[in-house]
Amino acid sequence: MAMTVDGRKVKSLIELLSGYHRMRGSRGYHESMMALMSYLKRSGLPSRRFRVLTYPADGKNVSGNILTTMAWEPIYGELWLERPERVFITSTSISRVSLVSGSSGSDGWKELPLVEFSGEGDYTGKAVLANDNPVKVFEQAVVNGGASCLILCYMRKSFEEIGRSLEMLPDMTNYLSIPYDSESASKKAVAFSITKAKFDLLQSALNNGSPVVGFTADALLNEGELEVLEIDATGVESEPGIMITAHLCHPSPGADDNASGAALAVELARVLHEERFPLPVKVVLVPEYLGTVPYAIQLRREKKLPAFTINLDMVGADQEKTGSTFILSRVPPYLPQKWGRVFEYYINRLMPSNGGYPLKRFGEIPFMAGSDHCVFTTLGVPSPFAGHLPDRYYHSDFDTPEMMDDKELEWVGNAVLKTLEHVHSPDEKASIVTKGKMLGELYSLINMISGREGSAELLDLLISNYEGGRVAEALVDGSGIPSSMPLEPTFESSLGLEWLKIVPEDLKTEVGPELLSMADFIVGGSMIIGSREAVELLTSIHYEVDISKVRMLTGWMIEKCLLRSQ
């Protein structure tokens, strides 16, 4: 069996998807999903192999730790400086992301005095110009301050090393969101995202007088549905199967994030079908987090969770154009390691090269939160994440199909296919190399936990997950020191992202930039291991941070009822 991916076909699907404004619960999302289903049906997949599952998008429903949003349907937005002179600022005609995700409509043309955001204060009847975190600005200026309109210039994940900063990209509009659960949507705030160049123009107007802005926004915030598309790629009925996941949502163009992952997943489904791959494989396209969490919880309750998943999120970037690096997020050591290691083997084996010299950048990182692999990881399913970060044009209107590389897509896609082939017909060399790597990692872990509190609960688990068997028995000196306290999550599945807004700044500073990933790692570990000291010890080793920082984070999560230890 020699299955391969044609990067040109995947790139053509990215071009197709980039034309859809694929916001969760929107018409654009639904239409993009139907377009992919049509492509696969025309390629021979029968209708019975598709299943669309729906979950509430009402801004009230909670799945696990995730509060859903309303369904958001953006139609049009336009923003001008009206006084002291009339200057066009932005519109959705030139950038679909200029209307911030979650913005309400304006009920016609409005003109408001413009003021600059300065933290808590009275912004009643004002348009507020801000270059701070949109969630923070929304909370302080809209919820507490009564603002009617936000004009935002903000960039997540700046990396000056690759030319990613507001100053280096002054004409780029960033994709931003404000909260739009039911309560937040009732504030009826209009919000625009503008370029750094236009932000500077408005700030200059503020410095020289009392400017007025005019705007109109047409957007609907309604109760709707989140759609998850489940594609049975092979038609083979047995459990547990294998799953390939990718989120379909995000605004137009959203080529790398994440038309690339959805397009590659769909093309993999076509190849697996045409090649009659003999094992059960499902390809699942989701609204990121909000659809994945209820879907995965449903599978768990039906006892249909997969043996492992591979999550494709931002997999097509041209490394030279975007400054990106192909990364693999490791499976946490409290879960079986084999398929993450096999996938990594084939990524390295298939890396584009010339004369033995690699032509691409690739790196492996500790377990990273922030995408749909977290949902399955925290339910006990090994879920390696493949993606490209950092990316110069991440979450912006510069994330276009022109920034995609068909050879990069082939590299990632063929590594997935070789991993699936290995499940069916193991390659001897791949088995030897991955086994050796797992034993080396197991040796390191056993030595690092030796003699430390919590090691007793970890020894057998790690030996099993790294397939140490009798070899590992010779490495173990004694039975380890047990934990004294239990630990378990208070909800099912991943923490998600919204909880971050309640994390104190001093805790973020103390724990460091890995806080989000460490927290989800702890949630999954507490479900699998169930002992506080063991989870904290493994977290400290995995992220190479002092255990006192892990204990601080765990203690705060217990205090906020995200974990319990009784």
Side-chain angles (χ1 to χ4, degrees):
M1 186 176 294
M3 303 184 292
T4 59
V5 165
D6 184 340
R8 296 171 305 165
K9 289 185 177 181
V10 181
K11 192 171 180 179
S12 73
L13 289 176
I14 294 173
E15 292 169 350
L16 169 72
L17 289 176
S18 293
Y20 292 100
H21 205 44
R22 310 178 306 276
M23 307 311 296
R24 292 178 298 226
S26 71
R27 183 177 66 182
Y29 180 97
H30 176 77
E31 290 176 349
S32 69
M33 181 185 75
M34 298 303 293
L36 293 176
M37 289 175 64
S38 174
Y39 168 73
L40 287 175
K41 288 178 180 179
R42 298 196 314 272
S43 299
L45 266 77
S47 297
R48 67 177 181 277
R49 301 257 286 275
F50 299 88
R51 184 167 73 136
V52 177
L53 300 96
T54 60
Y55 304 97
D58 57 9
K60 305 171 187 174
N61 189 68
V62 177
S63 291
N65 192 51
I66 310 290
L67 172 63
T68 190
T69 63
M70 307 284 284
W72 185 60
E73 191 73 60
I75 299 169
Y76 184 72
E78 185 176 321
L79 174 67
W80 289 73
L81 174 64
E82 285 292 305
R83 291 192 291 277
E85 59 179 337
R86 184 168 291 115
V87 180
F88 173 73
I89 302 299
T90 193
S91 82
T92 52
S93 295
I94 62 169
S95 177
R96 298 292 293 273
V97 300
S98 64
L99 196 60
V100 169
S101 178
S103 172
S104 291
S106 63
D107 192 23
W109 181 263
K110 303 291 183 185
E111 293 188 3
L112 296 174
L114 181 67
V115 298
E116 191 162 13
F117 178 67
S118 57
E120 296 283 358
D122 184 2
Y123 299 98
T124 304
K126 304 289 197 304
V128 178
L129 181 69
N131 63 348
D132 209 334
N133 186 304
V135 175
K136 172 185 172 182
V137 176
F138 178 83
E139 186 69 25
Q140 295 186 2
V142 175
V143 177
N144 299 337
S148 302
C149 176
L150 303 179
I151 302 172
L152 304 167
C153 180
Y154 183 75
M155 176 182 283
R156 290 180 60 209
K157 299 183 179 178
S158 296
F159 289 93
E160 292 190 358
E161 298 86 345
I162 63 166
R164 178 174 169 80
S165 71
L166 290 172
E167 290 71 23
M168 294 173 172
L169 297 165
D171 298 316
M172 187 174 84
T173 306
N174 287 279
Y175 158 46
L176 303 174
S177 297
I178 57 174
Y180 55 108
D181 56 86
S182 180
E183 182 177 353
S184 298
S186 69
K187 304 301 178 184
K188 298 188 182 301
V190 175
F192 291 94
S193 177
I194 62 172
T195 67
K196 179 64 165 61
K198 292 299 176 69
F199 176 86
D200 289 344
L201 185 153
L202 291 177
Q203 194 166 52
S204 177
L206 273 168
N207 293 337
N208 292 303
S210 301
V212 172
V213 294
F215 59 90
T216 185
D218 192 358
L220 303 176
L221 281 163
N222 296 317
E223 294 189 4
E225 293 181 331
L226 300 168
E227 295 176 304
V228 172
L229 174 59
E230 183 185 85
I231 305 162
D232 183 353
T234 61
V236 178
E237 295 291 338
S238 65
E239 301 291 346
I242 303 161
M243 186 175 289
I244 299 166
T245 59
H247 71 84
L248 178 59
C249 60
H250 275 16
S252 174
D256 196 29
D257 191 11
N258 187 38
S260 67
L264 180 55
V266 164
E267 188 60 16
L268 289 169
R270 186 191 67 79
V271 171
L272 291 166
H273 167 71
E274 290 190 354
E275 295 292 334
R276 299 186 178 183
F277 186 68
L279 297 179
V281 180
K282 286 187 170 63
V283 168
V284 182
L285 304 184
V286 296
E288 192 172 23
Y289 273 113
L290 299 190
T292 318
V293 169
Y295 171 69
I297 290 174
Q298 178 180 336
L299 293 183
R300 184 188 190 196
R301 292 172 180 172
E302 294 173 351
K303 302 188 185 306
K304 292 182 178 180
L305 284 171
F308 70 94
T309 76
I310 294 177
N311 186 42
L312 305 175
D313 191 349
M314 301 176 63
V315 292
D318 184 311
Q319 294 192 4
E320 295 308 308
K321 292 180 180 178
T322 65
S324 65
T325 297
F326 179 23
I327 60 168
L328 178 67
S329 171
R330 280 163 34 201
V331 174
Y334 51 73
L335 294 177
Q337 296 293 300
K338 180 176 181 178
W339 299 118
R341 282 284 153 248
V342 170
F343 186 34
E344 184 230 1
Y345 170 83
Y346 283 114
I347 291 171
N348 281 306
R349 179 78 178 271
L350 298 175
M351 180 183 291
S353 62
N354 188 331
Y357 297 101
L359 300 177
K360 298 286 187 177
R361 293 185 294 272
F362 168 68
E364 190 180 38
I365 63 173
F367 171 76
M368 177 189 74
S371 188
D372 299 293
H373 63 294
C374 301
V375 175
F376 289 94
T377 295
T378 49
L379 291 177
V381 179
S383 303
F385 160 97
H388 286 71
L389 284 171
D391 185 309
R392 187 174 295 126
Y393 308 121
Y394 170 75
H395 275 206
S396 80
D397 56 357
F398 283 13
D399 181 15
T400 64
E402 290 75 24
M403 302 300 166
M404 300 297 97
D405 179 3
D406 54 353
K407 297 304 179 185
E408 196 89 4
L409 292 158
E410 288 178 0
W411 176 24
V412 181
N414 288 331
V416 174
L417 289 175
K418 292 298 290 185
T419 301
L420 298 181
E421 287 181 12
H422 186 91
V423 178
H424 179 247
S425 302
D427 175 81
E428 183 178 4
K429 182 178 179 181
S431 297
I432 292 171
V433 172
T434 54
K435 182 81 169 183
K437 186 156 192 173
M438 287 193 293
L439 289 175
E441 291 171 349
L442 178 60
Y443 175 79
S444 296
L445 282 168
I446 287 177
N447 277 278
M448 285 188 280
I449 69 172
S450 178
R452 300 179 68 179
E453 190 176 15
S455 57
E457 290 87 351
L458 295 176
L459 285 172
D460 288 343
L461 178 67
L462 293 174
I463 290 171
S464 173
N465 288 342
Y466 286 83
E467 301 184 3
R470 293 180 179 177
V471 174
E473 291 175 8
L475 305 176
V476 178
D477 182 17
S479 58
I481 301 174
S483 298
S484 60
M485 296 165 54
L487 189 69
E488 61 181 1
T490 57
F491 53 87
E492 292 182 280
S493 195
S494 170
L495 276 166
L497 300 173
E498 291 303 311
W499 69 282
L500 278 172
K501 65 186 179 184
I502 68 169
V503 180
E505 290 300 321
D506 59 345
L507 182 62
K508 292 179 183 178
T509 301
E510 186 66 32
V511 175
E514 299 283 11
L515 180 144
L516 172 63
S517 297
M518 287 169 57
D520 244 357
F521 183 100
I522 291 168
V523 168
S526 65
M527 192 196 76
I528 300 295
I529 302 166
S531 302
R532 179 171 178 175
E533 290 84 356
V535 171
E536 291 174 336
L537 175 58
L538 202 56
T539 306
S540 170
I541 291 170
H542 188 72
Y543 291 100
E544 299 181 2
V545 299
D546 190 277
I547 198 165
S548 63
K549 294 185 178 183
V550 181
R551 289 170 178 159
M552 184 183 303
L553 177 57
T554 307
W556 180 85
M557 292 172 70
I558 292 170
E559 179 185 325
K560 295 300 179 182
C561 298
L562 298 170
L563 300 169
R564 55 175 162 253
S565 180
Q566 298 176 353

